[in-house]
Amino acid sequence: MAANASNDPNIARRALDRSVGQLRRNWRGILAFVLCTAGGAILGRSIGFALAIENAEDRILGYTIAYASHTEQQYAEVRRLLIEANSDARGRCSDEDLLALRRFVFESPVVADMGRLDNHRLICTTGIGRLDAPIDEVEPTYVSPTGMRWFTDVDLAISDRVRGLILELGTANAVLDPRVLNYSDAEGTQYTIVAVDPNDQAVIRASGAELPLDPAEVVARFRANSVSGAVEGEVFPGYVGAMHCHISSIICVIGLRSVDDIVAWDGGMIDVFTVTGGVVGAGISLSTLLALRRDRALPNRLRRAIKHDRLHVEYQPQVNFRDRRVIGAEALVRWVDSDGVRHRPDEFIAIAERHGFISSLTDLVIRHVVEDMAELLAERPDMSVSINFAAADLTDGRLVDRLQRASALAGVPARQFGIELTERAAGNDPRVRATLAAAQEAGHKVAIDDFGVGYSNLGYLQTMPVDYLKIDKSFTDTVGTGSVRASIVPQILDMAGTLDLGIVVEGLETEPQVAYFAERGIRFGQGWLFAPAMPAAAFRTWLDTWEHKEQTPAAMNAAGAASD
């Protein structure tokens, strides 16, 4: 019986029918699963591709801005050398003249060779010396509004295997080292230096990688997307990149990279998104990945934090060594996000500058300073609060008006709101100097913050409307250590004395450091020796405690000893 049952064809048929029925009932679910998986994989790959392109654009933009600034500094240096070479009264190509030109080449990080010309004929170079026969020069590729003659991609007299860029002014020319001006990044992106004439908008490729289109067309396509100093995006099919033009110069730097190269470089990330999209599904993949993208984009999170007033300002006291009296405070912005992460100010301030919303952050700081400190400043007219400003704040023409409104809202004179800027922010922009001069005229004091880590030269300071310097903590830390950097501190103090500038010492942590500067006539400083930066309410409590403590006889005697 059992054998017969097992061989019954009806049983097999019924089993087959049941399987077919289950497939018919579940086919929609299976199809939905397949479609969702495929759609999620396609969507995940699309998101990964978009992120790879966006990240590449951001990286290229960062490099482009840095390279444009570096190139402008090099161009200014070459122009300075050529002006000095033209002002030299020595006979052309004399031994003394060649020695002077060779000294220029030796001291310059970008010039590889210099030459002398007579009626546009090369008669000697620092590399070859006096030529047996003059060499007629070709027509320049471009002549700038200031008279600088540009010769691009020309054969060099010193070597027939190297071509390069020559700049000529008057009777002197300079061969720029092509190795210095050939920029690239870790991912292989090549960068091109171009010059854009401010009058007729003519564009020439000065150095660097060949562009896939005519340089003028590339510049025009970038500028069609934006008129600002920096722009990024897809300029023509198959290529993305960025362009940054120095704000006060004809120099622009362009970085371009093919989409195929970007996909090959970030292929691993794109594959991860494809697999993730397939597993999670179209709907969940879209909502989750886009949400994560928005939440993890630090610039967007910072924008939202500024918009919703989620940053705060802390105040670090500035103290007079001589009598231990608090003379003011530096306002320092702080950001603790919704996850409790305390972000470094130098990082998120740089993000705000790079993405063009630093003015919104500065407005937030000014508003908080007025709200936090107006009452205290009104009670103590000899106290001031200094606010840090970025380069964009100093060139948009609004700084003095912003501070004047702050003074009016606080009901205190302008001198109680100080301005701090770094040497990098000050730069060499005439608009910065004009803004600072107007601020001084309005009554605000101006300080160079973190002094010593930037330009740090006498000529630079002579042109800047500045009232005092703030010695960077890295120099304060060297006091009493015997470090080589410690020898720079007296030079900074002498420089300030020569220009009749005040000094505020940053990063004071020990009494011997205070004594060192007090012995050299410095009276003002800030640092953890006195107090860290703190919120406004804590600052007032600390101030009351400090003043009570420092008015005791023992404290007054100690203060007197420090000032002797």
Side-chain angles (χ1 to χ4, degrees), residues 1-9 11:
M1 292 291 295
N4 292 336
S6 63
N7 293 325
D8 189 346
I11 296 175

Side-chain angles (χ1 to χ4, degrees), residues 503-546:
I503 289 285
V504 174
V505 184
E506 295 184 299
L508 290 168
E509 296 180 352
T510 67
E511 288 292 351
Q513 291 173 339
V514 171
Y516 173 89
F517 287 102
E519 289 169 0
R520 287 156 179 79
I522 308 304
R523 295 188 297 163
F524 306 118
Q526 63 189 82
W528 278 64
L529 175 65
F530 306 119
M534 63 195 93
F539 180 87
R540 291 208 64 151
T541 301
W542 173 89
L543 181 60
D544 292 339
T545 303
W546 174 269

Side-chain angles (χ1 to χ4, degrees), residues 306-319:
I306 294 172
K307 179 180 178 180
H308 297 290
D309 201 25
R310 292 173 183 162
L311 287 80
H312 69 280
V313 176
E314 295 184 352
Y315 303 88
Q316 185 169 41
Q318 297 171 335
V319 177

